[in-house]
Amino acid sequence: MLELEFLTRVLGAGTEGKIDIKPLGITLEGLRVINILSNFPRDITVTGLDGNEYDIIVPEPAVYVIQKILTNPIREPMEKKQKDIIAVKEILFHIEQSSEHKSMLKGVYKTLTEKQKKILKQVCEENGIVLSQLDDSHINCYDEEKE
């Protein structure tokens, strides 16, 4: 089964929430926390079933992980929260295998606000997610105290 969610960025004084697009029969969900995805795009080229090449823009895996963690406290329903945590853990396994992706994770972490870092720490602790080496010291669940 294919499940699609239609998410949109919230900019400026815009409000988060659901927006019905009646002519298309869809509902958009506005989330401010997804803005981070557009700040770190990755351009990739894929070959379609028709043999043509297509350029698509996807978020960096490290950014996707951070966005999923930041969104977790407000994610509904509970099944989607759990599904997102499983995805985060699976992607983190692969990020740990790549110096490029680990470096990107560090870079993204450095752009976060203190409030976002607090949310990350809380979600990591609640779900047994350990992230390390984000600011040139060992960080366990984003605990910034140096060893």
Side-chain angles (χ1 to χ4, degrees):
M1 175 173 82
L2 176 64
E3 181 179 330
L4 297 176
E5 290 183 288
F6 296 92
L7 305 175
T8 186
R9 298 184 318 157
V10 175
L11 301 172
T15 57
E16 296 185 73
K18 298 186 187 279
I19 303 160
D20 287 325
I21 309 295
K22 294 186 193 246
L24 299 177
I26 61 173
T27 300
L28 296 177
E29 186 169 355
L31 295 173
R32 192 169 305 281
V33 76
I34 68 168
N35 294 354
I36 193 171
L37 296 176
S38 64
N39 295 340
F40 298 91
R42 177 175 278 247
D43 297 323
I44 63 172
T45 302
V46 296
T47 303
L49 295 174
D50 59 4
N52 292 323
E53 289 190 347
Y54 299 93
D55 294 326
I56 60 172
I57 301 170
V58 298
E60 285 285 346
V63 178
Y64 180 78
V65 162
I66 288 178
Q67 182 271 330
K68 284 294 182 187
I69 293 171
L70 290 174
T71 304
N72 195 263
I74 60 172
R75 188 79 157 119
E76 293 178 357
M78 180 60 80
E79 298 80 37
K80 288 186 178 182
K81 284 179 127 175
Q82 294 166 341
K83 183 179 163 187
D84 286 353
I85 292 299
I86 291 168
V88 163
K89 289 178 178 180
E90 289 175 357
I91 295 169
L92 278 173
F93 173 80
H94 294 286
I95 287 173
E96 285 296 318
Q97 311 304 313
S98 164
S99 59
E100 174 192 356
H101 292 302
K102 283 194 288 189
S103 177
M104 177 59 71
L105 188 63
K106 279 174 131 177
V108 175
Y109 177 78
K110 290 177 181 179
T111 70
L112 300 178
T113 66
E114 289 305 313
K115 180 179 177 181
Q116 289 172 321
K117 289 177 183 178
K118 184 177 177 181
I119 293 168
L120 283 171
K121 180 178 179 177
Q122 176 187 342
V123 173
C124 286
E125 288 174 349
E126 290 173 355
N127 294 283
I129 298 169
V130 177
L131 301 172
S132 59
Q133 304 299 321
L134 292 178
D135 70 353
D136 300 324
S137 66
H138 181 72
I139 300 169
N140 185 346
C141 291
Y142 294 97
D143 184 353
E144 295 194 28
E145 294 178 11
K146 299 199 187 254
E147 289 187 329

